[in-house]
Amino acid sequence: MQQLSRLARLGGLRLRSGLPCSGSANLQGIPYILQLKLQQSDQPLYQDSTAYWSWHAACVHSCSNRGFSSALTVVGQYVQSWDDNEKGPIDPFAIAEAEIDSISERLRQSLLTDIPALGRAAEYFFQIGAEGKRLRPTMLVLMASAFSAVLPSADLLIVDPSPVNHHPVDMRRRQQRIAEITEMIHVASLLHDDVIDNAETRRGMKALNSAMGNKIAILAGDFLLARASVSLASLRNTEVIELLSQVIEHLVSGEILQMTSEPEELLSIDHYIKKTFYKTASLMANSCKAVAILGNQPREDCQLAWEYGRHLGLAFQFIDDVLDFTSSSGELGKPNLNDIKSGVVTAPVLFAAEEHSELVEMIQRKFKGDGDVARANELVFDSRGIQRTRNMADEHCKLAADTITRFSGPQSAHARVCRRALTQITNRVLTRSK
């Protein structure tokens, strides 16, 4: 234990005792990735062993590239919140944090341009502290590991310095690119949506269109889609290129559906779910499948990955629509009641309309009448609309979790942990408050 603690200190790691950890008392407080390494190896990790110095070198190299946050990096980020009996709590975001940090930094570097105004606009929501929940890249990193037979090596947990058009030779690097591409597409869609909605805030800060104008926001979104396309082409996998290109088509289709719905369509829950898939769930579904394809998984597992992303994406949006009513603007980082103020019909309103026919005319005139927004809000709270929407989200979270149980057998202890983390993400989506 002393030798391991010294290794951790030399590598800049922080050991935390008292957390759910390995069932072995000898491993209590040892970072997760080191526990797995110890359990997989017959060689004791003594100071004079080859294994010791291999891990020491990897830790120090990583920490030297990550500055002041070295105590939180790489090996230490594959954290201690797990146990062999699968009973302890698990933090999916902590498990993936080191890899997500390196992906986020590479994203910032890949958006560099010789046009300062464009660079500032493109990286607006990728600045440290402005990245949002990072749910999508975390989900994708965990999905990659859920199918993997090996732990990602230390050099794959530091920033990839290669240019955006460079073909990654390593499979894990290609899967990391999907996480980058997904974030660029997602943020591009936010920039465009904020222009359409004339939004003033996003993620607790000024929306880009409010800070720099509509034209800059639109062009910044276009720039992100262009960079995402270059990175996608570098993967040289036509099926993956098709999947992520389809996402962009779906984003446009979903927005057009929302803008041009006929009066009877506005009252249809099926129409609402179709629009929700296009605008939110398609990106999660297709990116999950892309990660599985790049991992050379069987077709059945690739389809299950798609189903996981679809169900999680739908549940995420259903909860988002609930929070638009139940959370404050400060909690959301954007105005509440934003949907009905913009004339957008969501599940809580549709379910409430089944109890209060007064809502039907409001929906069909897109809440443009005097007092419509306030009255619609009252009627939603005077109905089971919010609870029924939560129930629908709960059902999709259960379906997402069920897909994990149907994956092919895990090939490593780390894969088992990451599958638990993917299941835990469904609970995080269901219980989030912002």
Side-chain angles (χ1 to χ4, degrees):
M1 180 67 182
Q2 290 178 345
Q3 286 86 352
L4 288 169
S5 297
R6 184 170 184 272
L7 167 62
R9 288 196 302 274
L10 285 170
L13 308 176
R14 181 164 57 193
L15 300 184
R16 292 182 288 173
S17 59
L19 295 174
C21 199
S22 168
S24 170
N26 292 331
L27 296 178
Q28 183 69 27
I30 302 304
Y32 164 64
I33 199 170
L34 282 179
Q35 291 187 33
L36 290 183
K37 193 70 179 175
L38 286 169
Q39 292 172 11
Q40 292 169 357
S41 174
D42 293 330
Q43 182 180 17
L45 208 60
Y46 294 117
Q47 182 177 349
D48 58 352
S49 70
T50 302
Y52 174 96
W53 288 109
S54 173
W55 279 97
H56 167 266
C59 291
V60 172
H61 173 70
S62 170
C63 294
S64 67
N65 280 278
R66 295 176 60 81
F68 74 94
S69 62
S70 63
L72 299 176
T73 58
V74 188
V75 178
Q77 291 294 357
Y78 281 75
V79 298
Q80 308 92 320
S81 52
W82 70 295
D83 67 17
D84 289 341
N85 297 320
E86 299 189 357
K87 294 179 181 177
I90 191 166
D91 184 346
F93 293 92
I95 287 176
E97 188 173 1
E99 195 164 4
I100 296 304
D101 283 347
S102 70
I103 289 170
S104 297
E105 180 56 33
R106 177 182 156 77
L107 251 176
R108 285 186 282 271
Q109 294 178 11
S110 70
L111 296 177
L112 295 176
T113 170
D114 58 0
I115 304 173
L118 178 58
R120 287 194 300 273
E123 70 168 9
Y124 192 72
F125 285 123
F126 293 112
Q127 302 171 71
I128 295 174
E131 306 105 317
K133 291 174 281 292
R134 305 200 295 187
L135 171 67
R136 291 161 188 82
T138 296
M139 171 190 70
L140 295 172
V141 164
L142 292 172
M143 185 66 71
S145 291
F147 289 120
S148 180
V150 296
L151 290 162
S153 59
D155 62 312
L156 294 176
L157 301 179
I158 58 176
V159 179
D160 178 5
S162 59
V164 68
N165 62 348
H166 179 265
H167 174 66
V169 176
D170 188 274
M171 178 192 298
R172 187 71 174 205
R173 288 297 194 200
R174 292 195 293 273
Q175 292 172 319
Q176 289 174 354
R177 288 286 181 92
I178 296 298
E180 296 172 24
I181 292 163
T182 297
E183 276 297 272
M184 283 192 275
I185 293 174
H186 172 57
V187 171
S189 74
L190 297 183
L191 298 181
H192 289 165
D193 281 354
D194 285 349
V195 170
I196 292 169
D197 298 338
N198 197 29
E200 294 184 359
T201 58
R202 168 76 67 176
R203 294 181 177 176
M205 54 195 291
K206 274 188 126 179
L208 182 63
N209 55 294
S210 180
M212 301 182 69
N214 285 344
K215 291 181 180 179
I216 292 293
I218 291 169
L219 293 171
D222 293 346
F223 176 75
L224 290 175
L225 292 176
R227 282 291 166 97
S229 298
V230 171
S231 187
L232 183 59
S234 75
L235 298 177
R236 303 177 188 174
N237 185 304
T238 54
E239 187 174 7
V240 168
I241 292 171
E242 181 181 349
L243 280 170
L244 273 297
S245 299
Q246 187 179 57
V247 168
I248 299 175
E249 177 187 336
H250 282 168
L251 287 168
V252 175
S253 298
E255 193 61 46
I256 295 296
L257 272 179
Q258 183 167 286
M259 294 170 64
T260 63
S261 299
E262 297 295 329
E264 62 275 10
E265 290 176 327
L266 290 172
L267 296 168
S268 168
I269 194 71
D270 290 336
H271 181 78
Y272 159 79
I273 291 174
K274 178 180 180 181
K275 178 199 71 176
T276 299
F277 172 76
Y278 281 164
K279 291 196 66 176
T280 303
S282 173
L283 178 58
M284 291 190 178
N286 285 2
S287 58
C288 280
K289 186 174 182 179
V291 163
I293 289 171
L294 291 174
N296 299 318
Q297 299 308 307
R299 303 308 301 177
E300 295 81 4
D301 283 341
C302 293
Q303 184 60 29
L304 286 171
W306 185 90
E307 290 179 18
Y308 174 87
R310 173 181 177 271
H311 290 305
L312 190 71
L314 290 173
F316 183 91
Q317 188 58 52
F318 297 158
I319 294 298
D320 213 54
D321 294 342
V322 166
L323 295 177
D324 195 44
F325 287 94
T326 62
S327 293
S328 67
S329 298
E331 290 172 315
L332 294 173
K334 57 184 178 181
N336 64 341
L337 298 181
N338 189 57
D339 289 326
I340 55 176
K341 288 175 182 176
S342 302
V344 175
V345 185
T346 57
V349 180
L350 290 173
F351 288 135
E354 295 178 11
E355 300 176 43
H356 300 287
S357 59
E358 181 183 349
L359 274 167
V360 172
E361 290 186 6
M362 294 186 203
I363 290 170
Q364 291 182 329
R365 63 175 176 254
K366 298 188 176 181
F367 311 102
K368 299 302 182 187
D370 289 342
D372 276 1
V373 171
R375 182 58 178 158
N377 186 48
E378 291 176 5
L379 293 173
V380 166
F381 278 98
D382 188 37
S383 74
R384 297 186 62 251
I386 287 174
Q387 187 55 53
R388 288 181 67 185
T389 305
R390 285 193 182 277
N391 292 345
M392 191 163 63
D394 180 64
E395 182 60 30
H396 280 279
C397 282
K398 288 175 180 175
L399 290 169
D402 179 65
T403 63
I404 303 299
T405 68
R406 292 185 282 137
F407 285 173
S408 299
Q411 301 181 59
S412 66
H414 185 50
R416 285 195 297 272
V417 172
C418 289
R419 291 180 187 201
R420 288 180 57 210
L422 286 169
T423 301
Q424 182 62 29
I425 279 181
T426 67
N427 183 61
R428 294 291 187 95
V429 164
L430 196 62
T431 58
R432 69 191 181 95
S433 60
K434 61 180 181 178

